[in-house]
Amino acid sequence: MVLACRNPVRGEAAAEALRTETGNPHSTAMELDLAALDSVRAFCDTFARVGLPPLYGVVCNAGVSAGGMPGGPPFFPVRVAHSDARALATGPGPGMRAHCMSKLCNLYCAYEMAELLADRPVTVNAFNPGVMSDPGFAAPAGNALVRGATRVFGAVMGRLIGKQGTATASGAALARLVTDPALATTTGTYIDRGAPASSSPLSHDRANARELWRASMAMTGLSESDTALHRPGGTATG
């Protein structure tokens, strides 16, 4: 397992903890800053040079702090709540709207990539671990009143929406999604804590997904030859 981390020191510490806890020596860390395309390309070059086994799976964890606090930690792993369309219109503040929008974009990306790679032996899925308070990633910021209100709001919404989870249970469900042979051909699917589920109707807007894909390619300066969609000696798709 390769941990792709912005901070190589902390990444190696995490890899060492995994090696110690599991007894499996095959965990390592490599430097990767997803906010810098030069770092992404350097990571790919390094990965290709170090003689690792063929890449089997990629697990992406991305998010925007729902509190909207500058420098805040990622809030949750990749997912979209069933009520995204409503949350985009009625979210309690710009931070929550940005959080919901980031999750909607994650689903657009997953669904579009799954469609574009439908004729390849590659599967792409989105995963919802549930609202997890035990890792501490969702620790609220601000003064005591704001922190208290945020905790109460989060607890109430978690129970109403039914999205609560734990790091242990959600981690096991995510591992199954990556490793279980029974899910080897599952693609373009929203997995809610281990079970296929329906994401919001808005997340299935194909025109939006394709527009986001093309805009992302343009903004990052990528061509099809830079992506998994490229077919050497053939015609690129997308």
Side-chain angles (χ1 to χ4, degrees), residues 1-203:
M1 179 166 56
V2 175
L3 305 181
C5 308
R6 284 183 299 176
N7 186 317
V9 175
R10 294 176 63 184
E12 180 52 38
E16 175 61 25
L18 281 172
R19 291 191 291 266
T20 300
E21 181 177 340
T22 65
N24 188 332
H26 303 297
S27 292
T28 188
M30 292 186 187
E31 185 174 359
L32 172 62
D33 183 356
L34 292 175
L37 289 180
D38 287 344
S39 177
V40 175
R41 292 187 173 95
F43 173 85
C44 293
D45 290 341
T46 301
F47 188 94
R49 288 199 312 268
V50 295
L52 292 170
L55 182 63
Y56 177 80
V58 177
V59 178
C60 299
N61 175 26
V64 173
S65 171
M69 300 299 178
F75 197 52
F76 301 123
V78 178
R79 72 190 184 287
V80 175
H82 294 168
S83 57
D84 275 334
R86 183 168 62 255
L88 287 171
T90 62
M96 181 58 75
R97 284 194 292 271
H99 170 73
C100 293
M101 183 66 76
S102 74
K103 303 312 157 193
L104 180 61
C105 289
N106 281 328
L107 259 187
Y108 280 149
C109 182
Y111 290 160
E112 182 68 7
M113 184 177 288
E115 178 69 20
L116 292 172
L117 294 172
D119 63 340
R120 307 278 288 276
V122 179
T123 60
V124 185
N125 298 289
F127 177 78
N128 173 21
V131 177
M132 298 184 298
S133 59
D134 48 329
F137 292 146
N143 60 41
L145 180 60
V146 171
R147 293 197 302 271
T150 301
R151 288 192 182 96
V152 171
F153 176 79
V156 171
M157 290 304 295
R159 292 184 180 280
L160 288 177
I161 299 175
K163 292 291 176 183
Q164 292 181 308
T166 66
T168 299
S170 295
L174 179 58
R176 177 174 177 265
L177 175 59
V178 176
T179 62
D180 191 339
L183 299 173
T185 59
T186 299
T187 190
T189 302
Y190 173 53
I191 306 295
D192 184 358
R193 292 161 297 172
S198 298
S199 58
S200 63
L202 182 60
S203 70

